[in-house]
Amino acid sequence: FDYKGVRYGIAKNNNDGAVIYNVSDSYTPMFSFLPSARHCHGLVKEDKLYIVYSNIGDRPEHIRLCIIQLDEDISKWNVLSDNALILPTFKHEGGDLPVVTSMPGSATRRFSQPVMELRDPYLFDLNGKVHILYSTQGERAIAYAQLTNFYR
């Protein structure tokens, strides 16, 4: 994501959560956060960073939203909220499947069947409307949703 002329990246650090990197400066790690995060994606609107992610260890694994107040001084970045965004409730999401505690790696390989898990979110803004793609049933399918009243 870009903010105030600097390009940042969010990446999983092995299985120790997420790290924000300054991509404009040779991938310099800035700080660690979201200690159990699997895959993250961020979208900036004005001075807020909206990060969607899922956590290793959740039961069931689901999509979360963390909102960070940004500032040109990175030491002043502040987490405003961190809450569940999408839980696997519908059949196409695996809402009727066995609940498992998520672990590192592929759920489809581990369990050899679909499970109640949501992972791998990707946010995008199209003409002022926010949309999300995410994997369902432990990476067996992909879902799409338009998120209403997203920007807070």
Side-chain angles (χ1 to χ4, degrees):
F1 63 93
D2 294 324
Y3 181 68
K4 303 282 184 182
V6 178
R7 178 156 290 172
Y8 297 94
I10 306 169
K12 184 172 80 166
N13 181 18
N14 295 317
N15 287 314
D16 295 326
V19 174
I20 290 193
Y21 293 88
N22 181 332
V23 178
S24 297
D25 185 21
S26 301
Y27 288 87
T28 303
M30 305 301 290
F31 59 87
S32 297
F33 72 124
L34 304 175
S36 299
R38 184 184 301 278
H39 297 293
C40 304
H41 184 259
L43 183 65
V44 173
K45 176 77 169 179
E46 297 170 359
D47 290 323
K48 291 182 182 170
L49 172 60
Y50 298 83
I51 301 171
V52 286
Y53 68 101
S54 64
N55 277 327
I56 295 169
D58 280 354
R59 183 178 171 89
E61 189 166 350
H62 57 280
I63 307 300
R64 298 188 61 79
L65 172 64
C66 178
I67 302 173
I68 297 177
Q69 180 68 51
L70 301 175
D71 190 276
E72 287 186 46
D73 179 352
I74 198 167
S75 70
K76 294 181 181 177
W77 289 15
N78 183 43
V79 174
L80 299 176
S81 63
D82 183 11
N83 299 298
L85 179 65
I86 304 172
L87 296 168
T89 53
F90 299 105
K91 185 174 182 176
H92 71 272
E93 294 175 320
D96 61 339
L97 297 173
V99 177
V100 296
T101 301
S102 68
M103 299 168 61
S106 171
T108 53
R109 286 188 182 157
R110 180 176 304 106
F111 299 108
S112 301
Q113 66 180 11
V115 294
M116 187 188 292
E117 282 188 354
L118 306 180
R119 301 179 172 196
D120 311 324
Y122 176 78
L123 280 178
F124 59 101
D125 185 313
L126 189 60
N127 300 321
K129 296 181 179 175
V130 179
H131 307 264
I132 187 169
L133 295 168
Y134 55 100
S135 66
T136 67
Q137 301 181 23
E139 300 177 311
R140 301 254 324 199
I142 297 174
Y144 158 84
Q146 182 177 330
L147 303 172
T148 57
N149 302 316
F150 183 76
Y151 295 121
R152 303 173 196 179

